[in-house]
């Protein structure tokens, strides 16, 4: 096999996005949770996670992680509690909003 010379104009192939499905699910959850008047953004620091904060309180911040499961994705609070799955985005958003004090119950 003969090595082909590489062109100075060629670029290496882009690296595949890590956990891109999880990032997409976190983005869906971010959209749903902002309806409660909280801030939400996906943080891409190694493994993506969702940072949700209540603008009414400096201390009310929660990081939500996403784990791939056999048939869906699970959302896990920073302290390890299961919050819901990708099939129940609206219900999960309500739980996350409650965690940061944006809903009474």
């Amino acid at each position: 096999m003969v090595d082909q010379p590489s062109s100075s104009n060629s670029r290496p192939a882009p690296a595949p996005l890590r956990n891109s499905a999880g990032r997409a699910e976190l983005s869906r959850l971010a959209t749903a949770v902002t309806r409660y008047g909280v801030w939400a953004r996906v943080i891409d620091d190694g493994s993506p996670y969702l940072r949700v904060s209540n603008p009414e309180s400096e201390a009310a911040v929660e990081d939500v992680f996403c784990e791939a499961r056999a048939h869906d994705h699970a959302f896990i609070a920073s302290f390890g509690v299961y919050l819901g799955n990708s099939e129940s985005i609206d219900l999960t958003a309500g739980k996350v909003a409650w965690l940061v004090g944006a809903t009474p119950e």
Side-chain angles (χ1 to χ4, degrees):
M1 181 174 202
V2 177
D3 290 322
Q4 297 291 325
S6 63
S7 165
S8 62
N9 293 331
S10 66
R11 293 183 178 177
L17 294 175
R18 291 181 50 186
N19 198 9
S20 60
R23 188 185 196 299
E25 296 301 334
L26 289 169
S27 293
R28 288 180 57 217
L29 181 58
T31 299
V33 79
T34 57
R35 295 180 194 132
Y36 291 91
V38 299
W39 297 334
R41 66 184 175 136
V42 177
I43 308 291
D44 283 319
D45 186 20
S47 182
Y49 61 94
L50 181 65
R51 174 151 299 156
V52 180
S53 58
N54 185 339
E56 302 293 321
S57 171
E58 290 181 29
V61 177
E62 182 58 42
D63 292 338
V64 179
F65 300 88
C66 185
E67 294 180 357
R69 300 282 170 97
H71 301 288
D72 59 10
H73 287 79
F75 297 110
I76 311 295
S78 63
F79 49 94
V81 171
Y82 172 84
L83 298 171
N85 64 31
S86 54
E87 300 298 320
S88 62
I89 292 286
D90 291 333
L91 179 62
T92 305
K95 291 178 182 179
V96 175
W98 177 82
L99 281 175
V100 296
T103 63
E105 291 183 24

